[in-house]
Amino acid sequence: MLRKGFARTGRGFAGLALAVLVGGAADTSAPLDIAHWRQAFARPDHAPNPAGNPATPEKVALGAKLFEDARLSGAGDVACASCHQAELSFSDGVDRHVGHDGQPLDRRTPPLWNLAWGLSLFWDGRAPSLEAQAMVPIENEREMAGNLQTALRTLSADPQIRQGFAQAFPDDPAVTQANLAKALAAFQRTLVSPETRFDRWVKGDDAALEPDELAGFSLFVGKAGCVACHHGWRFTDEAFHDIGLASEDKGRGPVLRVGAADHAFKTPSLRERVWSAPYMHDGSLATFEDVIDHYAGHVVQRPTLSADIPRRIALSEGERAQLVAFLNTLSSDDPPRPASLPARTMTLGDVADAVPASTVSQKDRRFTPGAILLKLGEALRILNDDTRVHNVRLDGPGKSFSSDAQNPGDTVTIGFDQPGHYDVICGIHPEMRLSVDVAQSR
């Protein structure tokens, strides 16, 4: 079931550099820096594993079984796997799944690949972890319409399920909501997309991509500007952008209670997307060609439009075909199976050693410095010297703070009345992470 535009021609390119191709002719003024981009898109050698829920074979096996278990739903007829189908990149192949009320759900079923690296979940980022995300659809009256306590009692009555929980959680063998969430999350973290021909090219196989595909990659990281949001090996910045879709859905804005984030949705990964059409949060674009056409001339202009997307992309028909050819290389030729990648306990968003500072920059979607030391009585000043709108969210001992929209040039000032460690993120660009340690003043 290959999607539109998924086609192959003969191999043959083995050079170490390629100019952007325009209308079939090379433009030698814009060579592709292959060494740089190979490093930028290199796959990791392990998957992140939270200290609070370390993966074990028993826990993953239990999570996989629960993922298929319809007893989690109210009517006993819907499982997680009903919408997240493995052969469709753990999505469902339709624009919006029909809910329990017989009406389409508000948003497209997202694929589940590579969520171990996710900084927030759902299209609007309202869940901070896979453990939190896993519980939401179960009790959503339009999705699984279940009751967690009822489902847990039903599962507890099954001797095989009780045994599975005992093996997965030997120190706490009960069939509880917390253990259910941990098992489902542990399984989902194993859903790592496999290597594709693009990955073989990244690893140094110059013949892995055809000339048109490599030309499409040149457009992707160059003229078309896709890499502004789709970067890293997963091809997502984990941020929230209004990309100008004609939709009334406010997305991230109501979650943050920040109007500047209205219509903004999480950047989807481009991995295995051939198998997960249609596209966008509402499934409104059926093919890669439709997606490119949107950016090339159908972006709705409004104040909340992301600063990271071009207002119009001028691409020839040949360039559009090359861009589609490249996007296809990020998917497997056959329905993908999860790759085996070892888990390693780590903290997402690790930063360098803290330095004494009271003013932090936000330029280029990055807190600089990334970790600071303060003393009680000192105020933290965060300057938006970027071209984008940001939002400052802080959590720590006895203190929780969230700014409104922080426009370019704005400064957010925060005081502290307790010593301790504080974490700061941008609610619109969650990869922006700042570590703050406040010491007792002397």
Side-chain angles (χ1 to χ4, degrees):
M1 50 176 297
L2 299 184
R3 305 295 184 193
K4 180 181 177 183
F6 190 80
R8 299 274 183 249
T9 57
R11 303 284 193 268
F13 182 78
L16 292 179
L18 180 72
V20 175
L21 300 183
V22 181
D27 177 3
T28 55
S29 65
L32 180 65
D33 186 347
I34 286 182
H36 167 77
W37 292 116
R38 277 178 164 161
Q39 181 178 10
F41 288 99
R43 290 172 63 95
D45 60 3
H46 64 272
N49 191 41
N53 187 19
T56 64
E58 295 79 10
K59 192 183 299 182
V60 170
L62 174 63
K65 183 178 295 185
L66 293 168
F67 191 80
E68 303 275 352
D69 200 322
R71 290 175 293 182
L72 292 175
S73 66
D77 59 351
V78 178
C80 303
S82 299
C83 294
H84 297 285
Q85 301 167 31
E87 66 274 15
L88 296 175
S89 272
F90 296 95
S91 186
D92 56 13
V94 298
D95 53 356
R96 289 179 295 153
H97 199 87
V98 175
H100 263 281
D101 57 1
Q103 299 299 312
L105 298 175
D106 295 333
R107 295 171 185 165
R108 171 89 172 90
T109 301
L112 302 182
W113 290 118
N114 307 318
L115 294 184
W117 290 264
L119 300 177
S120 60
L121 287 307
F122 293 113
W123 283 105
D124 58 15
R126 65 188 183 275
S129 68
L130 277 170
E131 286 78 5
Q133 177 277 329
M135 298 298 95
V136 176
I138 295 174
E139 292 199 307
N140 185 300
E141 62 181 16
R142 299 192 62 211
E143 295 184 42
M144 297 178 71
N147 178 284
L148 277 168
Q149 296 310 311
T150 300
L152 291 170
R153 287 195 295 269
T154 300
L155 293 174
S156 295
D158 184 331
Q160 290 187 336
I161 290 293
R162 288 202 308 272
Q163 182 182 17
F165 272 82
Q167 292 172 340
F169 302 98
D171 296 331
D172 178 24
V175 181
T176 64
Q177 179 176 333
N179 287 344
L180 171 66
K182 288 179 178 180
L184 285 169
F187 165 67
Q188 290 185 78
R189 289 192 178 97
T190 68
L191 303 180
V192 180
S193 63
E195 287 191 0
T196 68
R197 289 190 299 111
F198 175 74
D199 297 298
R200 297 199 294 274
W201 178 81
V202 165
K203 292 166 69 173
D205 181 357
D206 295 319
L209 298 186
E210 301 167 1
D212 274 356
E213 293 165 345
L214 197 51
F217 179 57
S218 293
L219 291 165
F220 185 92
V221 300
K223 179 179 178 180
C226 312
V227 75
C229 301
H230 295 284
H231 57 243
W233 80 276
R234 292 186 301 134
F235 289 82
T236 173
D237 61 359
E238 284 287 322
F240 299 86
H241 300 275
D242 175 4
I243 61 170
L245 284 172
S247 169
E248 296 303 315
D249 193 332
K250 294 297 182 67
R252 183 67 167 165
V255 174
L256 294 179
R257 299 182 181 178
V258 173
D262 281 353
H263 306 287
F265 294 88
K266 186 177 178 181
T267 303
S269 169
L270 299 182
R271 289 286 180 175
E272 301 296 346
R273 297 303 279 184
V274 159
W275 305 100
S276 63
Y279 306 115
M280 305 304 180
H281 74 275
D282 56 0
S284 59
L285 302 179
T287 66
F288 286 155
E289 289 86 352
D290 292 338
V291 173
I292 294 170
D293 187 55
H294 166 75
Y295 288 112
H298 297 285
V299 172
V300 175
Q301 303 297 316
R302 54 190 171 219
T304 54
L305 200 64
S306 172
D308 287 296
I309 67 167
R311 296 311 186 253
R312 183 180 178 85
I313 303 172
L315 297 174
S316 70
E317 288 302 314
E319 289 173 321
R320 294 187 190 202
Q322 290 168 342
L323 195 50
V324 169
F326 163 67
L327 292 174
N328 285 328
T329 72
L330 305 180
S331 295
S332 304
D333 292 348
D334 298 305
R337 296 178 180 274
S340 178
L341 205 60
R344 180 184 302 171
T345 300
M346 60 182 292
T347 302
L348 291 174
D350 283 342
V351 292
D353 292 338
V355 298
S358 59
T359 300
V360 174
S361 161
Q362 290 172 299
K363 191 172 183 179
D364 296 327
R365 292 199 296 185
R366 179 180 302 171
F367 287 118
T368 305
I372 63 171
L373 298 171
L374 291 174
K375 294 181 179 179
L376 279 180
E378 295 179 329
L380 170 63
R381 296 174 180 84
I382 301 178
L383 168 65
N384 185 352
D385 49 354
D386 204 351
T387 60
R388 306 162 180 87
V389 175
H390 292 303
N391 160 258
V392 174
R393 303 173 68 81
L394 176 143
D395 285 294
K399 189 176 189 66
S400 181
F401 170 85
S402 179
S403 74
D404 199 345
Q406 185 193 13
N407 293 303
D410 289 353
T411 298
V412 171
T413 302
I414 306 172
F416 300 87
D417 55 11
Q418 290 187 43
H421 176 80
Y422 297 80
D423 292 308
V424 180
I425 69 168
C426 170
I428 301 174
H429 307 95
E431 278 193 331
M432 295 176 60
R433 303 212 156 200
L434 171 66
S435 175
V436 180
D437 285 285
V438 180
Q440 187 76 46
S441 57
R442 295 180 180 178

